[in-house]
Amino acid sequence: MKRVFSFIMFLAVATAAVAAQPKLVVSHVEPLSWWVGMTTPLQLMINGEGVSNYDVEILPAGQGVDGKQIHKADSPNYLFVDVAVAQDATPMEYTLRFKEGKRSYDVPYVIASRKEGSRERASFTNADFVYLIMPDRFANGNPDNDVLDGYQVNREGNGRHGGDIQGIVNHLDYLDNLGVTAVWLNPVQYNKGGQSHGYSISDFYLIDPRLGSNEEYCNMIDKAHEKGIKVVMDMIFNHCGSAHWWI
């Protein structure tokens, strides 16, 4: 009887120990997605508490997308995975499976098809009339997004003045009449603080809500293209804002 009781207690303690182990939570995977046919090598930057303790495999196998090498950082909360994407890989939603012993944790990851003709997309040249726009100071097309996170329009100071993406859309005819063939916007991604210049990015994948949404940004590009106006997206990857999760 004592042996049976001891065995039951052992099972209870072992089960409690397993249950007490924290579940892996992957907070970030960047880039957010990728495309078949890209010539730039793909390396995933993964963030999650204790994620460096896990092995990573990509499923399903045999579709032309394979994890090649895992790099650990000084911090246990970061992991870098080199991924090989064959030119004939199957575009689909894959699974990043994180494994530690008998535990596993799945994260979806999309490898999509490139838009037809995207490789041939023309850039701006010295033949273009490029108009530089600081969106916050250009035109306020949507007063509803003037206040966010306690920051609000203050035309008397150095903070936000209220310009936004809709303001640019509303003035495309004006730009077209000037003869503009390309507009270059200051960074429009999310800046958590009150900065209006756009160079303290907190999220490289989110349009600052005080300027609009990702959908509004894409719509602005479509509207500009209808008038033969190119859009240059200012990207600055050599630094970010202090509120970014990289810091």
Side-chain angles (χ1 to χ4, degrees):
M1 186 67 181
K2 288 183 178 179
R3 289 182 178 179
V4 173
F5 178 77
S6 297
F7 180 68
I8 292 174
M9 288 298 296
F10 169 77
L11 288 179
V13 171
T15 301
V18 171
Q21 292 180 343
K23 180 181 178 181
L24 173 67
V25 175
V26 173
S27 303
H28 303 92
V29 177
E30 291 189 359
L32 296 186
S33 63
W34 202 245
W35 298 268
V36 175
M38 297 288 283
T39 56
T40 305
L42 172 60
Q43 183 180 79
L44 301 180
M45 181 180 186
I46 302 167
N47 168 235
E49 187 171 352
V51 71
S52 68
N53 296 321
Y54 289 75
D55 291 323
V56 184
E57 62 177 333
I58 301 175
L59 302 172
Q63 302 300 313
V65 178
D66 300 294
K68 290 299 184 183
Q69 190 170 0
I70 295 176
H71 308 274
K72 296 185 178 183
D74 292 338
S75 168
N77 302 328
Y78 290 86
L79 204 59
F80 298 85
V81 180
D82 295 334
V83 180
V85 181
Q87 292 296 308
D88 60 350
T90 304
M92 61 183 291
E93 182 179 284
Y94 289 84
T95 297
L96 304 178
R97 178 157 294 170
F98 298 82
K99 298 180 68 176
E100 182 191 30
K102 295 183 179 180
R103 296 194 301 165
S104 65
Y105 181 79
D106 291 349
V107 174
Y109 193 81
V110 173
I111 306 286
S113 298
R114 294 186 70 175
K115 287 185 177 180
E116 185 176 353
S118 63
R119 188 190 296 272
E120 291 74 37
R121 185 181 297 112
S123 183
F124 62 93
T125 70
N126 57 8
D128 281 302
F129 172 8
V130 182
Y131 191 101
L132 179 64
I133 294 178
M134 188 172 182
D136 177 70
R137 304 300 171 89
F138 184 67
N140 190 346
N142 180 14
D144 291 340
N145 60 25
D146 288 351
V147 180
L148 186 69
D149 288 351
Y151 297 94
Q152 57 189 4
V153 168
N154 177 13
R155 293 187 178 278
E156 309 236 332
N158 294 320
R160 297 256 172 185
H161 282 207
D164 49 35
I165 290 170
Q166 187 58 48
I168 298 172
V169 172
N170 294 349
H171 289 79
L172 286 175
D173 284 337
Y174 163 74
L175 296 169
D176 189 33
N177 289 335
L178 286 178
V180 170
T181 60
V183 291
W184 185 313
L185 310 185
N186 271 39
V188 293
Q189 294 99 321
Y190 180 42
N191 283 220
K192 184 174 177 60
Q195 295 85 355
S196 57
H197 47 68
Y199 288 96
S200 296
I201 294 175
S202 308
D203 188 335
F204 283 95
Y205 295 91
L206 177 67
I207 298 299
D208 196 307
R210 288 160 289 199
L211 299 177
S213 64
N214 288 24
E215 292 74 22
E216 286 177 288
Y217 179 72
C218 292
N219 177 66
M220 182 269 294
I221 294 173
D222 290 339
K223 296 290 186 183
H225 286 175
E226 289 173 7
K227 295 184 177 297
I229 298 175
K230 302 171 186 176
V231 179
V232 181
M233 189 175 194
D234 195 339
M235 303 295 288
I236 38 97
F237 297 118
N238 64 340
H239 67 275
C240 62
S242 59
H244 196 283
W245 65 271
W246 292 348
I247 304 299

